[in-house]
Amino acid sequence: MLRLSVLAAAAACLLAACQAADAPRSEGEGTRIVAPILDTPDAVDTHSYAKPLEARVANVDLDLALDFTGKKVSGTAALDVIAKPGVREVVLDSRNLAIAKVTDAAGQPLQFKLGANDEAKGAPLSVTLPGDGEQRIVIHYASGADAEALQWLSPEQTAGKKQPYLFSQGQPTLNRSWIPTQDSPGVRQTWSAKVSAPEPLKVVMSGDRLTPDGEPAGDGRRAYRFKMDKPVAPYLIAIAAGDLAFRELGPRTGVWTEPTMIDRAAAELADTEKMVEAAEKLYGPYRWGRYDVIVLPPAFPYGGMENPTLTFLTPTFLAGDKSLVGLVAHELAHSWSGNLVTNATWPDSWLNEGFTSYFENRIMEAIYGKQRAAQEAALGFDEITKALAEEGATSPTTRLNLTPEAGGPDGGVSGIVYDKGAVFLRTLEQAVGRERWDAYLRSYFDRHAFQPMTSARFLADLRAQLIKGDRALEDKLKLDQWVYQPGLPDNVAKPDPAAFAAVDQAVTAFAAGGPPPAAFAGWNTAERLRFVNALPRTLPKARLDALDQALGLNRATNNEVLAAWLELAVANRYDAAVPTLERFLASLGRRKFVLPLFEGLSKDPAWGVPIARRIYPKVRPTYHSVTYNSVDKLGFAEAAPAPGA
């Protein structure tokens, strides 16, 4: 039986009566929800210094000032800590923070110690607690100028070219570089913030906006206040500040971005309110109030980040035809899988991403029809095939529940974590029927709302609530094989072979020596991606010339298609694509696009490496740490200046 320990104000119940709790606790009307902490070996987060079963952070109140000149944030973090009786110390996570002092709620100094720094985890911050039970500590601090979660952009790096810009990216363990707290997905926390910035910059965060227009803060600054009254994983605390405009998309949806991009962004996001409605019909009410998005500058390292109430999006999805809005559906789906029910540790990140990829496809089907959903599901299956080929079907990296060695905070392979996870749920749906599966999944989100989750706990829930002792069904589903074994079980739900029948015929014809398909111009983005990705990986210059001349691939305006073409071009030393490659790598910082291209260059010492060494020093300063830390491992960073230099 899985055990839960709920740390509430009555701390004496910490490991006794509260172990049976199966839902977040509220201390009474209008008071803070305290989320449970899982008390099982598989819920121990080895990527955090926190000891939440002894003393845990339940709430964070930030009072910060943004310094665009010094590229740092400074101020206070007031933490509400709940400790087990007799525990006199709380351990927090930090990375390169300058701690001035720590006090209690009355301003009396508390002893603290900053431990040795670990390159991967940062440094533990241990604070002596003033008493028992629930208590408040206040940390006076500043972030380092190199805080990995924060990217400070000069005006020249923005679309408007007039004002500086700041955005954060906290997942998986980067928020400890600007917020001293227990930076573990299993330690859910409520939070509030008051953040000041120089005028005319606007500040937005992933919580309810209490002062939409800000309030005077002196010295030409304005302060903005935010609150998140639902416990969230700390990586979901996010901030952006810059020259921002807002446009409503629906009664509870809207988009923030730079003024020069607002019309384009609003047009691409016109279906956002419909997506929220479709998601609710599938798996229950949206519980976060508003669903706004912010389209960030191109340096943002991910496609999107599901920060509650304010999804962060890359501008690379702005294709002009809504062909890449599956990204929006994905981040919206995280409002249930990831934000509402969260992996307790990073080796179980498939519980966030696999569930969300499945849910995304169901939203896309509801809005855009079965054919588009089938094609996008088939593209996802291609990613599984690619991952298995690259990693090896018996590699532990192809498990859903990753081993500690493979399951680092940013570990795992996207074709497994996202796509194998989604196909697992699709396999369950086909085995039990959609109606029965949907009823189960909706109840799963309801019953575990605002709670952490592990693979073992999910499987136990599935067996208790869906299988219910049906031995034949248990044998048919092969649950443990899916979650704990590498590769793909033989009961996998395979994609519809008709989804890309015409495209696959065109690939076969071209591979046999035929001309590029004339139908390409009328294909949708999924079909174009399937074609480019399915082409033979080794092609002579004449065949690449034919593709480019007939299909205009070097001039593609869809970033997904262009990235796929450039990967093929790099693999074949196609010089005609190098100018496009250089412009592409200098125009964005999305790791999904940047890293594979530099990896392709790194595999060719004679041709590719010199190109990479010429390009990388120029583009590295424009990338977020998520991107440049990955590319640096390829060895191109020696001559590259540090970001912001």
Side-chain angles (χ1 to χ4, degrees):
M1 180 178 179
L2 295 163
R3 295 180 295 151
L4 288 172
S5 296
V6 179
L7 296 169
C13 77
L14 182 68
L15 294 175
C18 288
Q19 286 182 334
D22 200 31
R25 285 276 307 270
S26 176
E27 305 299 315
E29 187 67 28
T31 57
R32 185 178 66 246
I33 295 174
V34 179
I37 299 288
L38 295 185
D39 181 23
T40 53
D42 60 339
V44 175
D45 185 359
T46 59
H47 306 292
S48 169
Y49 291 107
K51 301 176 182 178
L53 290 171
E54 297 179 8
R56 59 85 56 86
V57 175
N59 178 70
V60 179
D61 293 326
L62 301 171
D63 189 344
L64 301 174
L66 306 183
D67 178 356
F68 281 83
T69 301
K71 297 182 179 180
K72 63 181 180 180
V73 302
S74 61
T76 61
L79 310 182
D80 293 321
V81 177
I82 304 172
K84 182 179 177 181
V87 171
R88 288 292 184 270
E89 180 182 75
V90 61
V91 183
L92 311 173
D93 294 300
S94 73
R95 187 188 298 276
N96 298 327
L97 298 179
I99 310 297
K101 62 179 179 179
V102 182
T103 69
D104 63 14
Q108 295 301 307
L110 297 174
Q111 290 186 338
F112 69 92
K113 178 182 178 182
L114 199 59
N117 185 69
D118 177 86
E119 184 177 346
K121 293 171 62 174
L125 174 59
S126 303
V127 178
T128 300
L129 294 172
D132 275 329
E134 184 165 355
Q135 51 216 290
R136 171 162 284 213
I137 63 173
V138 182
I139 302 168
H140 300 249
Y141 73 101
S143 68
D146 58 349
E148 290 185 301
L150 304 177
Q151 185 161 13
W152 305 85
L153 303 179
S154 67
E156 293 73 26
Q157 292 175 288
T158 68
K161 312 296 183 186
K162 295 179 180 178
Q163 299 292 341
Y165 203 109
L166 164 69
F167 65 80
S168 69
Q169 171 53 45
Q171 188 179 16
T173 59
L174 301 183
N175 266 357
R176 63 190 66 176
S177 69
W178 72 287
I179 305 173
T181 188
Q182 292 177 325
D183 191 12
S184 171
V187 188
R188 302 179 70 109
Q189 300 153 35
T190 55
W191 62 270
S192 72
K194 175 186 175 184
V195 181
S196 74
E199 295 183 296
L201 303 184
K202 290 185 174 130
V203 180
V204 293
M205 292 189 74
S206 52
D208 294 334
R209 295 191 302 277
L210 305 182
T211 53
D213 298 321
E215 55 194 25
D219 297 325
R221 301 176 68 87
R222 292 189 74 78
Y224 295 80
R225 297 177 185 269
F226 307 89
K227 187 175 183 63
M228 172 53 67
D229 62 359
K230 302 170 182 65
V232 296
Y235 68 83
L236 294 170
I237 305 175
I239 189 170
D243 181 14
L244 297 175
F246 179 76
R247 179 78 56 82
E248 283 193 359
L249 300 171
R252 54 183 164 170
T253 55
V255 56
W256 292 90
T257 192
E258 294 182 69
T260 58
M261 295 174 60
I262 193 69
D263 291 338
R264 184 182 175 203
E268 201 83 2
L269 292 159
D271 294 334
T272 303
E273 189 79 30
K274 294 179 183 177
M275 287 185 177
V276 178
E277 293 169 355
E280 289 186 314
K281 288 179 181 178
L282 284 166
Y283 299 127
Y286 177 77
R287 303 178 191 228
W288 305 94
R290 290 194 60 83
Y291 182 74
D292 293 330
V293 304
I294 180 170
V295 180
L296 295 161
F300 187 61
Y302 291 128
M305 183 63 213
E306 61 273 15
N307 303 309
T309 76
L310 187 65
T311 280
F312 282 27
L313 294 173
T314 172
T316 64
F317 88 100
L318 298 174
D321 59 2
K322 302 180 184 178
S323 62
L324 302 180
V325 295
L327 171 67
V328 184
H330 183 91
E331 305 310 331
L332 169 62
H334 267 304
S335 301
W336 286 260
S337 47
N339 297 1
L340 194 62
V341 185
T342 310
N343 53 243
T345 66
W346 295 114
D348 267 336
S349 60
W350 80 273
L351 292 167
N352 283 16
E353 300 298 353
F355 274 65
T356 295
S357 297
Y358 170 83
F359 193 173
E360 166 200 342
N361 194 253
R362 295 292 304 277
I363 295 172
M364 296 299 287
E365 178 182 324
I367 301 295
Y368 301 108
K370 291 184 177 181
Q371 180 180 2
R372 180 165 175 177
Q375 289 183 335
E376 294 188 1
L379 289 178
F381 200 88
D382 289 346
E383 291 300 308
I384 304 174
T385 303
K386 180 181 177 181
L388 292 175
E390 292 178 350
E391 300 292 316
T394 61
S395 169
T397 58
T398 66
R399 291 170 37 140
L400 288 179
N401 170 257
L402 292 168
T403 63
E405 295 77 20
D410 204 22
V413 181
S414 63
I416 302 301
V417 173
Y418 289 72
D419 299 300
K420 180 181 173 181
V423 169
F424 174 36
L425 300 195
R426 194 169 295 119
T427 300
L428 296 176
E429 176 204 323
Q430 291 188 10
V432 304
R434 176 168 283 192
E435 182 177 356
R436 184 178 172 189
W437 169 250
D438 282 350
Y440 165 74
L441 196 51
R442 175 165 181 161
S443 75
Y444 168 83
F445 291 130
D446 287 341
R447 288 180 288 105
H448 302 291
F450 306 110
Q451 297 182 42
M453 182 61 59
T454 66
S455 286
R457 190 171 185 231
F458 165 65
L459 292 183
D461 187 85
L462 194 67
R463 288 178 166 116
Q465 301 292 331
L466 185 68
I467 298 175
K468 298 180 179 180
D470 185 336
R471 176 51 56 185
L473 180 58
E474 171 81 27
D475 293 342
K476 180 181 180 180
L477 296 181
K478 303 184 178 183
L479 302 179
D480 291 335
Q481 186 177 345
W482 270 100
V483 174
Y484 297 118
Q485 297 299 318
L488 278 181
D490 58 14
N491 68 336
V492 60
K494 295 184 177 179
D496 181 358
F500 289 117
V503 177
D504 292 343
Q505 290 173 5
V507 171
T508 301
F510 182 82
F520 186 89
W523 284 347
N524 62 33
T525 294
E527 290 164 337
R528 293 181 180 190
L529 275 173
R530 173 73 165 218
F531 177 78
V532 175
N533 286 329
L535 288 169
R537 293 296 91 184
T538 301
L539 289 170
K541 179 180 181 299
R543 297 299 277 163
L544 293 168
D545 283 340
L547 285 168
D548 187 29
Q549 291 166 11
L551 309 182
L553 293 172
N554 264 332
R555 302 183 303 279
T557 57
N558 184 295
N559 287 297
E560 293 279 356
V561 174
L562 182 56
W565 161 248
L566 290 174
E567 284 192 51
L568 181 64
V570 166
N572 288 279
R573 292 187 169 190
Y574 188 52
D575 289 316
V578 172
T580 301
L581 172 70
E582 188 159 2
R583 287 193 300 272
F584 187 70
L585 290 172
S587 69
L588 50 82
R590 186 176 177 184
R591 187 176 64 173
K592 173 186 177 180
F593 296 149
V594 169
L595 182 58
L597 291 171
F598 277 112
E599 285 177 334
L601 292 169
S602 73
K603 295 174 183 177
D604 190 334
W607 182 84
V609 169
I611 293 173
R613 289 194 179 278
R614 184 181 78 247
I615 295 174
Y616 194 50
K618 293 184 287 187
V619 299
R620 185 181 187 270
T622 69
Y623 292 163
H624 188 276
S625 68
V626 165
T627 299
Y628 70 68
N629 281 339
S630 296
V631 181
D632 282 357
K633 296 174 184 177
L634 301 175
F636 304 137
E638 291 86 350

